[in-house]
Amino acid sequence: MTGTARQYVRFLFLKLESAWRRLEADEQARQKVQFATTLLSFRAKLLLRTYSLSGTRGDADLLLWQVSDDLEVFQEVQTAVFSTDLAGYLSIPHSYVGMTRKSIYQFPDRAGEADSIVVKPQDSRFLFVYPFVKTRAWYALPHEERQAMMQEHVTIGRAHPDVRLNTIYSYGLDDQEFVLAFESDDPGDFLDLVMELRETKASAYTQRDVPIFTCLQMSLWQALDAMGGRSAATLAEVVDQAGFTDVAGVGDLDGSGGLRVYCGREAIALFKVGERVFAVADSCTHGRASLSEGTVLADGCTLQCPWHEGRFDLESGRPCGGPARVPIKTFEVKIEAGRVLVRS
Ligand code: FES
């Protein structure tokens, strides 16, 4: 993605049929791996954040928040993941598409307005999403009157600085006018904000602002496991006498990105740099990102987390940039007969 153009945004909610949970356990794990590796193969084409709704909604289990410079990428992604075996048990209860754009209202002291066309998800634990439609009476009001009401909104929002709003515009592209996505670590803070906004003058001009989704941010692998069934971590493995586990073929690593594998119950990210293969813990120590979705920088020895650009030395696991402060675990690797073996 260019990082400078307006972006397309999709919120894709998926629901898993209960029949899937009656499949053989190994088949459940296999389908999770196939689904995740298919979806993650698009990471160079779009920004992806994954959320679980298990425990917060009855009609959706998984949210895929996708951001791209190209609208057609969303179709490519859906075609690919709906060609996996897991997709035979998935439905789409909700889907919202829109674009970024700058507001028609002026908020001179609002920080970050210049960047509002580029989506930059934070490390917040929760995302609260809902479609939003104004009444037609709102559009009949003079612009100055609407500006004053929006200013009241912004002033209330400032009293909740830990709640961050992403405004997506859907006019003409989808049924709603906006999709609002609030990031926060504290559901109570968001609840208080919404209650206060109900008291504003602009609230009288809301036609629709449901359904509302409370989503918990986690890596795709964790979100799949949150749906139930056997974890991909339990797939059969081969361990040699020295305690090394056969986790992948060298040919599975093409050098363009990481590969998530398991060693026992530990999720590991593998990276091939030249002829060497590095193995580090898959979970970032800053948030819940999967480091196998990260990038090895041009120096060949620094791994950058995909979420907030936390950096780690691939050899030692030490943090060396960004918000991460705690080292990641590293693993001993050997290569035999074209196979990658890892010892935990
Ligand atoms: S999750 Fe924040 S830097 Fe990795």
Side-chain angles (χ1 to χ4, degrees), residues 84-100:
T84 64
D85 296 330
L86 183 66
Y89 300 90
L90 290 174
S91 60
I92 302 179
H94 308 278
S95 168
Y96 306 109
V97 168
M99 287 189 79
T100 57

Side-chain angles (χ1 to χ4, degrees), residues 36-46 80:
T37 51
T38 300
L39 181 57
L40 295 174
S41 70
F42 284 89
R43 59 191 162 198
K45 289 189 174 181
L46 83 169

Side-chain angles (χ1 to χ4, degrees), residues 206-220:
T206 298
Q207 181 175 306
R208 180 164 66 87
D209 58 0
V210 290
I212 296 178
F213 304 91
T214 296
C215 315
L216 184 57
Q217 182 167 214
M218 53 184 69
S219 75
L220 176 59

Side-chain angles (χ1 to χ4, degrees), residues 123 284 286-289 291 305 307-310 323-324:
D123 56 349
C284 181
H286 175 246
R288 290 177 157 223
L291 289 173
C305 175
W307 283 10
H308 317 109
E309 302 184 353

Side-chain angles (χ1 to χ4, degrees), residues 157-170:
R158 276 204 205 96
H160 299 267
D162 294 332
V163 179
R164 185 175 174 277
L165 170 62
N166 299 274
T167 303
I168 308 304
Y169 294 72
S170 297

Side-chain angles (χ1 to χ4, degrees), residues 59-97:
D59 58 353
D61 296 307
L62 185 66
L63 164 61
L64 306 179
W65 181 11
Q66 305 166 56
V67 183
S68 175
D69 291 344
D70 182 355
L71 185 60
E72 292 182 23
V73 168
F74 300 152
Q75 187 182 40
E76 285 179 42
V77 169
Q78 186 163 320
T79 300
V81 297
F82 271 34
S83 300
T84 64
D85 296 330
L86 183 66
Y89 300 90
L90 290 174
S91 60
I92 302 179
H94 308 278
S95 168
Y96 306 109
V97 168

